[in-house]
Amino acid sequence: MWAPRGRGCSEHRDALPEPPAPLCGLRDPGDGVGPHTCCCPAAASPRDYQDVPIDIQTGKLLDWLVDRRHCGLRWQAQVSAVRQKIEAALRDMPEHEEIARLLAGAAIHYSHCLRIVDILRGTEASTKNLFGRYSSQRMKDWQEIVALYEKDNTYLAELAALLVRNVTYEVPALRKQIARCQQAQQDLARREEECQLAAAELRERFYASCKQYGITGSNVRQELLALVQDLPSLLSEVGAGVGALSEAVELYQACVEFVCQSSEGPVVPMLRYVGSKGNTTVYEWRTGFEPVKVERPEVQVVPEQPKEDTIDWGDFTLEPIGGGDIDSAAAGGEAQDNEIDWGIVVEPSPQDNGIDWGDGEGNGAQITVLEDGSEEPEAVARGSDALTLLENAATRNQFIDELMELELFLAQRLVEMEEEADVLAASQFQLAPAVLQGQTSTRVGTLLANTRALLDQLSTRRMQHLFIILASPRYVDRVSEMLQQKLNQAELLLAKREALSRKRHEALTEQGVLEPKLDRLQERTRELQQLIEADISKRYGGRPVHLMGVSL
């Protein structure tokens, strides 16, 4: 015998044995002793546990059913046998809309089989005999399938296995696939935007470079070559602008003569010459005589290289083979049958001995013999002498140096004139010529601005590149390749953006296919949950059953 703790005398209270454990292994939550009301109906009335829910963890649902002997241990083998029966029965099915809809869904389970039997009762009603049995083989097959399902509650184990698989694997897998599609769409959209921005940046850099060269960019090579053709006219405009610097040159000359007290020669001779005569040839600058004829060096334009995907066959002209002589000789009977006519014709010599000594009359080359001490006239400008002063690199550098020298003088003179506190400088220029004393800071500033404007025209990046192209025609190809490379990179980025866009649409399409699958799977999982909860509730007298962990 045993008694609850806390009852009886204090001497024997601790010596009492532990009460026996209930069948379910749990104790009553009231006083800690006695059987649990969930599985020991003898200890409590039905009203005490009728409303107590049964909570079952979904991951351990199969173990729960097997432990409580609702299902057998060999349920998997029984399910395999039932599946074979179902496959055989599906080969002979009547044409029915609802049956077709059931078969088009997921794997057929017990509830589907019950519905198929109900449908067959209507379609196979003509085969029913007086004893309520059906002679139709279809009906017999599906009734046998239902009976096999109900044996040892095999259907309940299969429904539980389907529920656990959907909750544990199928639904999370579809969600992960949809999440990957969404993440891929975000990444691809971001990369598309990056490619678009990079391509736009490259195009902007291309057009900015073209603007620096003074071209539009439609055909870089041809436009650069056209600019080189326009270079002489641009340099002529620069030479014409030097005439406005004559006052600045005279001011510089007067200042040098006054400060140095000597005249070693005219300052900035190149500027003086260009200001008076313009941008003449180097020959005229060097000799002082205008050439009678100017033979400018030909600009060697490098032909455009063929593209990689084309083959340059060259310029081949088909000429007739000298076989006409053979035909004519054969026609005249000159060639014999046993000889070979090589097509070589020996022309008769003007004299008997075959040597032409040049005694005959002919248009020979005229040789001009100069007298002793005379020189060949240099009235023809050839080579570098035929270039203008601003086209020739040496004379152009001298021109720019003198222009910068004049600029520095005017800048220094302007600073001196603006410093009113410099009494020493003011007293020093009291004896200066009228050209120096009559100048104001405003006038000197104007001359300085004109000088710098002329210098800026020659120092622009466009003019520098044109001078390089004039000196090296291959520079056109290098510039064209450099600019074309930017366009090619922009086109590659745009092509990459198109490929990324296609992949993003593919991911969107895949997501559109997976989402309905997930919805259908969640709906079937809820149906399985309801079927299992209802079946277990019937076995426990209608008590509510909750499957825990089914997160859909």
Side-chain angles (χ1 to χ4, degrees):
M1 296 296 294
W2 61 275
R5 290 184 180 273
R7 301 178 184 178
C9 61
S10 59
E11 297 178 359
H12 301 88
R13 183 182 304 165
D14 297 332
L16 292 176
E18 291 289 338
L23 297 178
C24 63
L26 300 177
R27 298 187 180 276
D28 187 78
D31 55 0
V33 296
H36 196 265
T37 58
C38 67
C39 55
C40 300
S45 62
R47 295 180 180 178
D48 296 337
Y49 62 86
Q50 184 66 32
D51 297 332
V52 177
I54 301 176
D55 297 334
I56 306 173
Q57 191 67 27
T58 304
K60 299 180 179 180
L61 178 58
L62 281 172
D63 297 336
W64 190 90
L65 294 174
V66 174
D67 290 343
R68 282 149 184 80
R69 299 182 180 179
H70 295 302
C71 301
L73 293 174
R74 299 177 57 84
W75 65 270
Q76 294 180 350
Q78 295 173 355
V79 169
S80 178
V82 173
R83 285 294 170 189
Q84 294 178 1
K85 294 286 185 179
I86 291 176
E87 291 179 1
L90 289 177
R91 298 172 185 173
D92 183 19
M93 294 296 295
E95 294 183 0
H96 194 273
E97 182 179 356
E98 188 173 356
I99 291 178
R101 187 170 61 253
L102 290 174
L103 298 180
I108 298 176
H109 51 76
Y110 176 68
S111 63
H112 295 159
C113 295
L114 292 178
R115 182 56 188 162
I116 291 175
V117 170
D118 292 339
I119 296 173
L120 291 178
R121 286 195 180 99
T123 58
E124 307 295 330
S126 59
T127 62
K128 187 176 182 181
N129 55 24
L130 297 176
F131 299 99
R133 297 183 178 275
Y134 292 88
S135 60
S136 173
Q137 186 62 34
R138 296 174 182 171
M139 193 66 174
K140 291 180 180 179
D141 293 341
W142 286 103
Q143 285 179 345
E144 183 182 1
I145 291 171
V146 172
L148 291 175
Y149 260 134
E150 293 176 351
K151 182 180 179 181
D152 295 335
N153 298 324
T154 304
Y155 71 92
L156 187 58
E158 185 188 28
L159 294 178
L162 291 175
L163 178 64
V164 172
R165 186 180 66 183
N166 290 346
V167 172
T168 308
Y169 302 106
E170 299 294 339
V171 173
L174 285 177
R175 285 180 175 173
K176 288 181 180 179
Q177 291 182 8
I178 294 175
R180 282 197 297 267
C181 292
Q182 294 175 349
Q183 184 65 32
Q185 292 176 38
Q186 295 177 1
D187 295 341
L188 293 172
R190 176 180 54 80
R191 293 173 62 186
E192 281 183 47
E193 185 177 359
E194 291 177 356
C195 291
Q196 182 69 28
L197 293 177
E201 182 181 359
L202 286 173
R203 286 186 175 275
E204 289 179 0
R205 290 168 56 186
F206 169 77
Y207 288 115
S209 300
C210 291
K211 186 177 181 181
Q212 292 178 353
Y213 288 107
I215 58 178
T216 60
S218 58
N219 192 337
V220 177
R221 179 183 174 84
Q222 298 299 329
E223 290 179 356
L224 289 176
L225 293 176
L227 285 180
V228 176
Q229 300 297 329
D230 297 338
L231 183 60
S233 61
L234 297 176
L235 296 179
S236 299
E237 294 178 1
V238 174
V242 180
L245 302 180
S246 58
E247 184 179 355
V249 173
E250 296 299 333
L251 179 62
Y252 184 31
Q253 181 70 38
C255 184
V256 170
E257 292 178 355
F258 173 72
V259 174
C260 298
Q261 298 296 329
S262 63
S263 58
E264 298 179 355
V267 295
V268 290
M270 179 72 71
L271 290 180
R272 289 176 177 272
Y273 179 82
V274 175
S276 60
K277 294 188 177 182
N279 186 26
T280 63
T281 60
V282 177
Y283 176 85
E284 185 175 354
W285 154 259
R286 184 173 57 83
T287 62
F289 299 100
E290 184 177 357
V292 177
K293 183 179 180 182
V294 177
E295 297 179 358
R296 293 178 59 87
E298 297 181 358
V299 179
Q300 298 179 358
V301 179
V302 180
E304 187 175 1
Q305 297 295 331
K307 297 182 180 179
E308 296 181 357
D309 55 349
T310 59
I311 300 176
D312 185 9
W313 298 101
D315 296 333
F316 294 101
T317 56
L318 297 177
E319 297 180 356
I321 302 175
D325 296 338
I326 298 176
D327 297 337
S328 60
E334 297 179 359
Q336 299 179 2
D337 297 336
N338 56 352
E339 294 182 357
I340 299 175
D341 186 3
W342 298 100
I344 301 175
V345 179
V346 180
E347 297 181 357
S349 59
Q351 297 181 359
D352 296 335
N353 54 3
I355 301 175
D356 186 5
W357 297 100
D359 296 337
E361 296 180 357
N363 295 328
Q366 296 181 359
I367 300 175
T368 303
V369 180
L370 300 177
E371 297 180 359
D372 189 13
S374 63
E375 296 180 357
E376 181 182 359
E378 297 181 356
V380 179
R382 299 185 180 91
S384 60
D385 287 347
L387 299 176
T388 61
L389 293 174
L390 296 181
E391 288 179 347
N392 189 285
T395 54
R396 182 176 65 249
N397 292 335
Q398 181 181 353
F399 179 83
I400 294 175
D401 291 342
E402 293 182 1
L403 200 59
M404 295 176 66
E405 180 182 350
L406 182 61
E407 178 198 7
L408 292 176
F409 163 73
L410 293 175
Q412 181 64 28
R413 182 59 185 155
L414 181 62
V415 172
E416 293 175 355
M417 295 179 68
E418 290 178 349
E419 292 179 354
E420 299 178 356
D422 193 351
V423 181
L424 179 61
S427 61
Q428 183 180 3
F429 279 91
Q430 287 181 356
L431 301 177
V435 177
L436 292 176
Q437 295 184 5
Q439 295 293 336
T440 61
S441 59
T442 304
R443 183 57 183 170
V444 174
T446 303
L447 296 176
L448 178 61
N450 295 335
T451 305
R452 287 177 175 174
L454 193 62
L455 186 60
D456 291 340
Q457 292 183 15
L458 293 175
S459 302
T460 59
R461 187 172 182 179
R462 175 189 177 187
M463 295 296 292
Q464 293 176 2
H465 287 293
L466 290 179
F467 291 145
I468 297 175
I469 294 172
L470 184 64
S472 176
R474 290 187 178 275
Y475 183 73
V476 177
D477 293 334
R478 292 198 296 269
V479 174
S480 301
E481 291 177 1
M482 180 189 67
L483 296 178
Q484 190 64 33
Q485 186 178 6
K486 296 179 181 179
L487 277 184
N488 293 338
Q489 290 177 354
E491 292 176 357
L492 288 176
L493 288 174
L494 292 178
K496 183 179 180 181
R497 185 184 67 84
E498 294 295 332
L500 294 175
S501 178
R502 288 194 297 268
K503 291 183 179 180
R504 182 172 58 84
H505 286 296
E506 291 176 0
L508 182 61
T509 304
E510 184 179 359
Q511 179 183 352
V513 174
L514 292 176
E515 286 179 348
K517 288 184 179 180
L518 179 61
D519 295 338
R520 290 193 297 269
L521 183 60
Q522 290 176 342
E523 183 179 357
R524 289 195 298 266
T525 305
R526 293 190 186 95
E527 293 176 358
L528 292 174
Q529 180 182 3
Q530 294 174 2
L531 291 174
I532 295 172
E533 289 177 350
D535 192 277
I536 296 176
S537 178
K538 290 179 182 179
R539 299 175 186 275
Y540 286 92
R543 290 178 59 184
V545 178
H546 297 157
L547 296 179
M548 310 297 293
V550 182
S551 58
L552 300 177

